[in-house]
Amino acid sequence: MIEASAPVRICDIGGWTDTWFGGPGRVLNIAVVPGVEVSIRTTAGPGSVVLDVETFGDRYGIVPGAPRVARHPLLEAAIDSLQPPGELTVEVSVRSVVPAGCGAGTSAAVAVALLGGLAAARSEELSPSDIAYAAHRLEVDVLGVESGIQDQLSAAFGGINYLEIERYPEATVRTLPVWEELSPRLTLVFLGHSHDSSGVHRRVIEDVGSRGSDVFSRLRDAAVAARDAVIARDLDAFGQAMIANTAAQSSLHHALIGVDARRVFENAAAHGAIGWKVNGAGGDGGSVTILSADREAKAALEHQVAALDARYRLLPVHVSPVGLHVRGAL
């Protein structure tokens, strides 16, 4: 068996500047676990690949490269691009604790973990950057969806990363030193329903107009401030960078900070939180990250948020110092 895992991403300060229309890009993001797990093992069954998508309770066989109506387009595109050795029938299982459409880069993490496992099945050695860019091409070039590059890089590298994207999608990745004090103060709240990241991108592209350059500059400034705060181990400054990013994101398009997100932010501010941010592209649904001043404040905040709405879910996470991890062999 081959097992591959990749973290998801939260608190992407400077997000939107890693796109083809928002550059040059400056992004700070945080890789967290639990994330995505993929296993590949030899088996007998219909088709040369049996795909088991545990999150959706879906199991079926496909023949890589053969024409079909895809049931899980990203997964099938990954298998088509790095087909298992032809003499083998394999079962590919995909699991994720983080809900799809959470705004935490789950689809990118799935693509990174799956491509990493498939490369191992083919005895190919690919770098984290190779895997990240291959995962990005699957979404943008093969499936035709809008996507920045930061999610794939976070999943591949792990840790707290500061990214510079001068020529989209090429990025310089700087993994910042471990900050043990940060993880116990972060709260991830799933707002009860998923969002359509690519659809949100299209709305912003249509509406960005002349406002874009100024707002993107504010987003870049927030990412630089967050980087400096991580290096200085300054929780208050990091929280201010989160808030500044949230304000800039709202200016980019009014719908990027949804009703549920605003409700959670207002509650967080009332209970002493020092930072808050929508994860990913934003819009209706998805998830938010809250930063508390200390552990006691975090516990009180999480109690209040859980009581706000039965749909809201607290997702326990911690910062992952590693990205894509592949082990085992067929």
Side-chain angles (χ1 to χ4, degrees), residues 67-86:
R68 73 184 86 88
V69 176
R71 287 159 65 169
H72 293 278
L74 181 61
L75 304 182
E76 295 180 33
I79 292 169
D80 287 339
S81 69
L82 284 179
Q83 299 179 17

Side-chain angles (χ1 to χ4, degrees), residues 86-146:
E87 71 276 9
L88 296 179
T89 296
V90 300
E91 176 180 316
V92 176
S93 298
V94 181
R95 302 172 294 280
S96 174
V97 174
V98 178
C102 184
T106 310
S107 62
V110 166
V112 165
L114 181 50
L115 289 174
L118 291 168
R122 294 161 57 95
S123 300
E124 295 182 8
E125 293 187 8
L126 299 178
S127 70
S129 292
D130 291 335
I131 294 289
Y133 290 125
H136 183 259
R137 287 193 296 271
L138 282 183
E139 296 206 52
V140 174
D141 297 338
V142 178
L143 301 182
V145 302
E146 294 289 349

Side-chain angles (χ1 to χ4, degrees), residues 9-291:
R9 179 271 308 133
I10 65 171
C11 203
D12 51 323
I13 300 174
W16 286 103
T17 70
D18 64 316
T19 62
W20 63 266
F21 56 89
R26 300 290 185 271
V27 180
L28 181 136
N29 59 29
I30 303 173
V32 296
V33 289
V36 171
E37 296 180 352
V38 169
S39 63
I40 303 172
R41 58 185 172 187
T42 55
T43 187
S48 56
V49 173
V50 178
L51 189 53
D52 185 7
V53 190
E54 294 187 8
T55 305
F56 295 93
D58 204 2
R59 180 183 173 89
Y60 60 100
I62 65 170
V63 177
R68 73 184 86 88
V69 176
R71 287 159 65 169
H72 293 278
L74 181 61
L75 304 182
E76 295 180 33
I79 292 169
D80 287 339
S81 69
L82 284 179
Q83 299 179 17
E87 71 276 9
L88 296 179
T89 296
V90 300
E91 176 180 316
V92 176
S93 298
V94 181
R95 302 172 294 280
S96 174
V97 174
V98 178
C102 184
T106 310
S107 62
V110 166
V112 165
L114 181 50
L115 289 174
L118 291 168
R122 294 161 57 95
S123 300
E124 295 182 8
E125 293 187 8
L126 299 178
S127 70
S129 292
D130 291 335
I131 294 289
Y133 290 125
H136 183 259
R137 287 193 296 271
L138 282 183
E139 296 206 52
V140 174
D141 297 338
V142 178
L143 301 182
V145 302
E146 294 289 349
S147 173
I149 186 62
Q150 57 136 335
D151 293 354
Q152 293 83 2
L153 290 168
S154 180
F157 283 89
I160 304 174
N161 289 306
Y162 177 70
L163 311 177
E164 295 182 335
I165 305 100
E166 297 297 341
R167 295 183 57 190
Y168 170 88
E170 299 173 9
T172 300
V173 181
R174 177 185 176 189
T175 299
L176 301 181
V178 174
W179 188 9
E180 295 180 354
E181 189 180 10
L182 180 63
S183 193
R185 289 163 174 75
L186 295 173
T187 296
L188 177 60
V189 184
F190 177 53
L191 299 175
H193 56 290
S194 62
H195 73 161
D196 175 12
S197 178
S198 186
V200 172
H201 275 77
R202 287 191 293 270
R203 276 187 288 168
V204 170
I205 292 170
E206 292 170 359
D207 191 59
V208 69
S210 60
R211 296 178 297 107
S213 59
D214 174 63
V215 177
F216 293 139
S217 178
R218 291 165 57 194
L219 291 168
R220 283 188 284 271
D221 289 344
V224 172
R227 177 203 63 189
D228 293 345
V230 172
I231 294 172
R233 300 291 193 269
D234 188 333
L235 281 171
D236 289 327
F238 191 81
Q240 287 302 309
M242 293 173 67
I243 295 170
N245 190 102
T246 299
Q249 197 164 346
S250 181
S251 297
L252 186 60
H253 193 289
H254 66 87
L256 296 187
I257 313 297
V259 173
D260 288 305
R262 294 183 187 278
R263 187 182 182 197
V264 172
F265 292 163
E266 290 170 1
N267 184 271
H271 289 86
I274 58 175
W276 46 83
K277 188 197 175 299
V278 168
N279 293 313
D284 187 33
S287 67
V288 300
T289 300
I290 308 295
L291 177 65

